[in-house]
Amino acid sequence: MDLEDFKFIYWMEWGHRMWGRALGICFAVPCAIFAARGCITRPLARRLGILFLMGGSQGLVGWWMVRSGLIEPTDNKVPRVSSYRLAAHLTSAFAIYATMIWTTLSVAFPYPPVVTAGPPAARAAAALYKVALPAAVLLGTTAISGAFVAGIDAGHAYNTFPDMNGQWIPKEYFDMTGWRNIFENTAAVQLHHRLLALTTLCTSLALWRYGTRMPDLPRASRLLLHTLAAGVACQVSLGVATLLTYVPVSLGSAHQAGAMTLFTIMLSLLYTVRPAPTLAPFRLLASMPLSTTSAAVAVMAVGGAVANSA
C-alpha cells in the first residue's frame, strides 16, 4: 500500500465517521424539539430512545470492527477488517434501519389497511403474512451473507456464472474443515451467497404468485408484491453483472443499495399484511347499514391511531 492508497482509505473512513455523527445530530436535535413541544407520545418516545441507543452502539461496533484491521497482517497480505465484525456491523445497521422503517410506517399509518378493507382482505393478508415472514428472514440472511463475500473479497474469484470457473461446486470448497469453512473459505462463501440469492429469487416469485392470486388482498400489498418481484430480479441480475465485471466500486455499491431497497419493500409489505387486531369489528360492520358502517369505520380508524400512540 502506497501513500495515495492510504489517503484514500483514510478519507473514506473519516467521511464515514463524520456522516454517522451527523446522522446522530440530525436525529437527536429534531427529536428534542418535538419532545419539548409535546408532539411525541410515551410509546413513541421509548422507541425513539431505543433507536438513539442503537445508533450510539453502532458507532462502538464500527470501532470494534476497525480495530480488527489495525493488526499487522502476515505473509505480506493486505490489511483488512474481520469479516465476522463486518457482518456484525452490517447486521446492526439493518436492525437500526428496520426499526426506523417500522416506526415511520406506524406513525404514518397507525392502523392496518385491512381494517377498512373488510374481513376477506384481513383473511387474505393474514395468510400472506405467514409466508412473507419467512421470505423476509431469507432476504435478510442473503444480505448478511454478502458481508462475508465483501469481507474476504470473494467476489474477485470465480468470476463466471452460472458455473464457478467451469465447476458447479469448486474443488476448493472443501479446503477448510469445520464451521470456519462456511465463513472463511472463498469458494464456500461465494457459493453460499449464490445459492441464497437464487433461493431468495425463487421464493419471492413464489410469494408474488401466491399473493397475486388472492383477489381480496389490499391494493397496497398487491402493489408491493409486484415491486418486490421486479426488485429481486433486478438485484440478482445486478449481482451477476457485478461478479462478471470483477466487482467495480460503482456496481458493488449499487448492489448494496439494492439490498437495502429490497429490505425496505419487504418491510413495507409485512406492515401492510400485518394481522388485524381481531375480526370481531368486521362482523359488526357487516350487520350495519351503509351510513352507520362508514361512521364506524371512521371511529375504528381514530381508535386505531389512539391505540398505537397510547
Side-chain angles (χ1 to χ4, degrees):
M1 178 186 301
D2 57 23
L3 182 59
E4 292 303 316
D5 291 333
F6 175 79
K7 287 181 179 179
F8 175 79
I9 294 175
Y10 177 86
W11 286 114
M12 289 291 290
E13 176 65 22
W14 182 86
H16 183 64
R17 294 188 187 191
M18 293 303 105
W19 183 260
R21 293 169 184 174
L23 286 177
I25 295 173
C26 291
F27 180 89
V29 173
C31 184
I33 294 175
F34 285 123
R37 294 180 177 179
C39 300
I40 299 178
T41 61
R42 184 171 297 178
L44 181 58
R46 286 197 297 266
R47 189 175 296 187
L48 292 176
I50 292 173
L51 275 168
F52 189 75
L53 291 176
M54 292 173 70
S57 64
Q58 175 72 337
L60 297 177
V61 174
W63 170 240
W64 177 63
M65 178 193 70
V66 170
R67 283 191 61 186
S68 66
L70 300 179
I71 301 174
E72 187 69 25
T74 59
D75 302 328
N76 294 322
K77 293 182 179 179
V78 177
R80 63 179 62 255
V81 299
S82 165
S83 58
Y84 298 100
R85 300 188 186 188
L86 176 62
H89 194 45
L90 180 64
T91 302
S92 178
F94 265 83
I96 296 171
Y97 183 74
T99 306
M100 291 185 66
I101 290 294
W102 200 267
T103 300
T104 301
L105 291 172
S106 65
V107 171
F109 310 100
Y111 59 95
V114 295
V115 168
T116 56
R123 286 190 286 267
L128 185 63
Y129 182 83
K130 293 179 181 178
V131 294
L133 190 58
V137 174
L138 177 61
L139 177 63
T141 303
T142 304
I144 299 305
S145 73
F148 289 97
V149 174
I152 62 174
D153 274 345
H156 290 155
Y158 308 104
N159 299 97
T160 61
F161 189 86
D163 58 61
M164 299 178 68
N165 290 351
Q167 306 173 78
W168 295 108
I169 301 180
K171 62 180 184 299
E172 295 85 3
Y173 182 88
F174 304 100
D175 281 355
M176 302 176 68
T177 58
W179 62 268
R180 292 180 58 186
N181 187 70
I182 301 175
F183 303 105
E184 299 180 19
N185 184 347
T186 298
V189 167
Q190 190 186 127
L191 178 60
H192 296 162
H193 188 61
R194 290 187 183 206
L195 293 176
L196 283 169
L198 294 176
T199 304
T200 300
L201 173 62
C202 294
T203 301
S204 299
L205 293 178
L207 180 65
W208 169 80
R209 178 63 174 169
Y210 177 67
T212 52
R213 297 183 70 176
M214 295 179 174
D216 298 317
L217 195 68
R219 182 175 180 273
S221 305
R222 191 178 299 275
L223 178 61
L224 286 167
L225 278 174
H226 294 319
T227 307
L228 178 67
V232 172
C234 291
Q235 176 71 349
V236 172
S237 300
L238 180 59
V240 173
T242 304
L243 176 70
L244 296 180
T245 53
Y246 294 88
V247 197
V249 174
S250 56
L251 289 183
S253 300
H255 193 49
Q256 292 178 347
M260 192 64 76
T261 302
L262 287 179
F263 199 59
T264 306
I265 297 171
M266 180 61 82
L267 286 173
S268 302
L269 175 62
L270 287 175
Y271 191 85
T272 62
V273 297
R274 63 177 181 151
T278 175
L279 288 179
F282 297 125
R283 299 190 184 98
L284 179 62
L285 292 176
S287 63
M288 290 181 176
L290 179 59
S291 58
T292 309
T293 301
S294 301
V297 167
V299 172
M300 289 170 59
V302 175
V306 172
N308 279 272
S309 61

